[in-house]
Amino acid sequence: MNPFVKVGSTVSRPREDRAGGTGSPVRSGSAARHTDDPAVGPARHLGVARGMPGWLKIGTAVVSILLVGVIAFGAYWAVRLQGNISKAALGAGGEKTEGAVDNSRDRLQILILGSDTRDGKNSQYGGASDSTGYGHSDVMMLLDISADNKRVNVVSFPRDLLVDMPKCTDQESKKEFPAQKNVMINAAMSEAGIGCAVDTVNKLTGLEIDHFMMADFNSVKELSNTVGGVDVCISDAVYDPDSGLRLPKGTSKVQGEQALAFLRARHAFADGGDLGRIKGQQGFLSSLVRKIKDDGTLSNPAKTLQIADVVTRNLTIDEGMASIPTLLTVGNRLKDIDVSKVAFVAVPTVPAASDPNRLQMAEPAASQLFAAMRKDVDLTDPTATPSPSASASVSASAEPAPSETAAAYDKTLQPITVANGSGTPARTQEIIKALTAGGFTQLGQLAARPVAATAVYYGTGFADVAADVAALLGIPATQVLPAAGVSGVQVYLGSDLVGGNPGGDAPVALPKDIVNQTAGDVVCQQANPFLITR
């Protein structure tokens, strides 16, 4: 027998006697792949394929096709959704004091804006003259998600609210806009862009917003259609000619143009003012949350993709949130929250002293709300113990906040002045906000020379008030001193930066009715008596 067997161009040595237990010889790679000689062993591909059952061949082919299809489908949606997104800068030059946020586990504050721009798809709602610049923020809500994903606050700011707007720089044109006092809050975005609206809310609340999301009129129509309509309720049949909203008494399902009319309606609810409009919007969003939860939408991939497509097509967001994985991460945090812990709140307001057709913040209620939010208080249950995973500023061993003991005096009548000798101008407003949140409203400011140590001085008869002020601000009792030349109480701030931390262990006073409703409440809106139809 020929000692070599020629297979094509490959030469292979026949197998030797392995009776002695020697291992398999090293074979040529090409022989192993292509030889038909059984002495060489089965070909790794061709030989196996010939022996593969028909059903396995078909199954392998089907699985391969499905795998390729799934990959292609996922890539298509990822590219499509990412391509939908528009981006803008988060701020307009305001100072940042916090580091980057972890979107998957940190407390998140997202400013939700609705633009009244009439560009593009929105041209049917008016001409360009109806909205200027970037458009006004027709809706402004602060979405506050707790670190443990158990609570959400949705705080609405009336568009007629008069505020102080900080200096802003348009991040596209680089044009600077000076700080302004007593202007409508919805004007911030129209001049210097979304970032200016973010900086204005930061200044107003003392919080630092992590992200923003801005949608236009069209997003409401498409989203309401995608979920199959949203149930809303009103006390009487109503017709609002300005928005075009016409509803019968009781519960109705609205979608498309009618859903948009419900959210835009300015005169249909309550007394026809902005606060009635806010309650209508909150009722709509509460119903939308319940519907999405009840339908299991966030657990249905196909439905979720539909909603994601609708939302991203009409959305502008900041760079830090402008990716599909990030949006999915944030959305995933919301899916298991109890609807009774989704609190809808409106910033407390009263008619403005300078213009009764506008609003100003009602004090001390507004400052109390913002102080509670800075401390990450559960607005639905202010006495609840924060969970260990809540904001790092709250101790994990904190006890439930006791009820506030009534003072032996009326806090609103006590004269308190703040003299800033710290060398840090912003400290004055920090202290005033803290005092206001604690219920003191008769506040003044004094020019002061620089000093090293903070102190609380008090005049005759004000020792108890001074002690309470010091406790509220976290100033040691040893730095509370009588002073013959002081009328009332004076907080003299030093460069030691002591004080201004009412978050320590002091309970936060909150108006009992601060929460308008939760997402679990089914609320019927009160119709404006002047627009009721028969």
Side-chain angles (χ1 to χ4, degrees), residues 26-255:
V26 177
R27 293 178 293 157
S28 161
S30 58
R33 284 196 297 272
H34 300 298
T35 184
D36 291 328
D37 191 337
V40 178
R44 196 184 312 169
H45 300 303
L46 299 179
V48 172
R50 285 176 182 164
M52 182 185 294
W55 65 267
L56 186 55
K57 293 180 184 178
I58 296 172
T60 302
V62 170
V63 170
S64 299
I65 292 170
L66 288 176
L67 183 60
V68 171
V70 168
I71 294 172
F73 178 79
Y76 163 78
W77 275 104
V79 172
R80 172 168 173 163
L81 295 179
Q82 190 67 52
N84 286 345
I85 295 175
S86 298
K87 295 176 286 188
L90 178 62
E95 182 180 358
K96 292 280 289 182
T97 61
E98 298 176 2
V101 68
D102 184 336
N103 294 302
S104 63
R105 57 185 299 175
D106 288 343
R107 181 184 178 194
L108 280 184
Q109 278 137 6
I110 304 172
L111 189 63
I112 309 295
L113 299 164
S115 172
D116 70 351
T117 181
R118 269 70 175 183
D119 293 337
K121 299 176 183 177
N122 301 299
S123 58
Q124 61 182 297
Y125 304 109
S129 60
D130 294 322
S131 64
T132 58
Y134 291 95
H136 292 82
S137 46
D138 204 43
V139 175
M140 182 180 283
M141 297 179 175
L142 181 57
L143 179 70
D144 182 13
I145 307 172
S146 67
D148 59 8
N149 298 335
K150 292 183 178 178
R151 295 178 284 109
V152 172
N153 299 321
V154 184
V155 182
S156 295
F157 296 83
R159 64 180 185 177
D160 289 343
L161 179 63
L162 298 179
V163 299
D164 292 343
M165 190 175 79
K167 181 178 73 173
C168 292
T169 301
D170 185 330
Q171 298 301 293
E172 290 188 10
S173 68
K174 302 306 178 184
K175 180 180 178 181
E176 290 189 0
F177 294 84
Q180 301 179 57
K181 288 187 174 294
N182 221 35
V183 296
M184 285 174 57
I185 195 169
N186 71 344
M189 188 178 82
S190 68
E191 290 190 345
I194 303 170
C196 192
V198 170
D199 286 355
T200 299
V201 174
N202 285 343
K203 176 181 173 65
L204 186 66
T205 62
L207 297 165
E208 194 159 298
I209 291 167
D210 303 303
H211 299 295
F212 72 79
M213 303 174 72
M214 186 185 75
D216 59 22
F217 293 145
N218 199 58
S219 61
V220 175
K221 294 191 300 181
E222 293 193 14
L223 180 58
S224 61
N225 284 330
T226 301
V227 300
V230 177
D231 289 336
V232 296
C233 180
I234 193 161
S235 63
D236 298 274
V238 68
Y239 172 60
D240 178 4
D242 288 342
S243 67
L245 178 67
R246 187 187 295 275
L247 287 176
K249 178 180 179 179
T251 300
S252 303
K253 188 183 296 294
V254 296
Q255 62 186 92

Side-chain angles (χ1 to χ4, degrees), residues 316-336:
T316 301
I317 52 183
D318 63 282
E319 292 278 358
M321 206 177 186
S323 74
I324 298 305
T326 301
L327 289 172
L328 291 176
T329 294
V330 175
N332 192 55
R333 292 182 61 172
L334 298 172
K335 70 177 183 180
D336 295 323

Side-chain angles (χ1 to χ4, degrees), residues 4 15 17 19 21 32 40 71 134 154 169 183 196 246 265 267 320 328 392 395 404 407 427 432 441 448 460 475 500:
F4 296 94
R15 287 187 286 180
D17 183 4
V40 178
I71 294 172
Y134 291 95
V154 184
T169 301
V183 296
C196 192
R246 187 187 295 275
H267 306 297
L328 291 176
S395 169
E404 187 178 20
R427 293 279 291 158
I432 286 177
T441 58
T460 303
I475 298 173

